[in-house]
Amino acid sequence: MTTRDLVLISLFSAILIALGLLPPITLGIIPVPITAQSLGVMLAGVVLGAKRGTLAVLLTILIAAIGLPVLSGGRGGLSIFTTPTTGYLIGWIAAAFVTGTLSERFVKAGQPALTQGIGFFLASVAGGVVVLYAFGITYLAFATGIGFSKAFIGSMAFIPGDLIKAVLAALAGRAVMAGYPLLPQRT
């Protein structure tokens, strides 16, 4: 790993932490708040790629686990792993990896801007919505005992907001790719 990689990982961990400062919005349907930090997970994947994006998310979770209040709502400490939302937190790791992997595979520097934007959007939806929800809903159903179908239906209220986050991540990924490409290229 280069010094540049370490700086980028730290920078995106800081971005994730900064997005945690925005207050969470609770819908009251299920005990999972709407936070801006899932946008940071998508951004880490589309801008940094699979390896560095995942390490940025892992660094953020480590910082939270040691007790610093860096998660949305000022949460931190080992208690973050004992809540109904733990599945979403663990899902961040897989979400960043999948988003980054798909971005690396499908978005290339020479592509037209629209093609890049669509590629980043699809990668963000696959990783930041589908994969993240798979972890989050499964754990939520298990931890609360409400059943998978009820957890799934309750989580559908968050889809519109997460699709907006995917659009924002795609736009940001495209802007970074145009100005200062950081995404590793796979062949």
Side-chain angles (χ1 to χ4, degrees):
M1 234 188 234
T2 66
T3 302
R4 180 177 184 237
D5 291 335
L6 294 173
V7 169
L8 290 170
I9 290 165
S10 300
L11 174 66
F12 269 82
S13 178
I15 289 170
L16 270 164
I17 291 168
L19 288 170
L21 296 174
L22 299 173
I25 301 168
T26 306
L27 296 180
I29 300 168
I30 57 173
V32 180
I34 297 173
T35 69
Q37 284 183 306
S38 57
L39 170 60
V41 172
M42 292 179 203
L43 285 171
V46 299
V47 173
L48 298 181
K51 180 181 175 184
R52 294 180 299 188
T54 302
L55 288 172
V57 169
L58 281 169
L59 178 60
T60 305
I61 292 172
L62 176 65
I63 291 169
I66 63 172
L68 296 175
V70 297
L71 297 180
S72 184
R75 297 176 304 129
L78 291 177
S79 65
I80 63 172
F81 298 110
T82 63
T83 69
T85 61
T86 298
Y88 290 96
L89 186 62
I90 301 303
W92 282 5
I93 300 164
F97 181 79
V98 169
T99 302
T101 299
L102 293 176
S103 294
E104 290 173 11
R105 292 207 188 279
F106 299 121
V107 178
K108 305 296 179 207
Q111 293 174 324
L114 181 61
T115 304
Q116 288 178 343
I118 291 170
F120 282 134
F121 174 75
L122 293 175
S124 295
V125 169
V129 179
V130 175
V131 170
L132 184 60
Y133 278 46
F135 278 83
I137 292 170
T138 302
Y139 188 86
L140 180 66
F142 172 75
T144 61
I146 63 173
F148 185 81
S149 61
K150 201 170 195 179
F152 179 82
I153 291 168
S155 295
M156 293 302 103
F158 299 98
I159 293 287
D162 284 337
L163 291 177
I164 292 169
K165 292 176 196 176
V167 168
L168 294 174
L171 292 171
R174 168 63 192 122
V176 171
M177 181 68 110
Y180 190 70
L182 298 171
L183 186 67
Q185 297 293 300
R186 290 192 184 187
T187 56

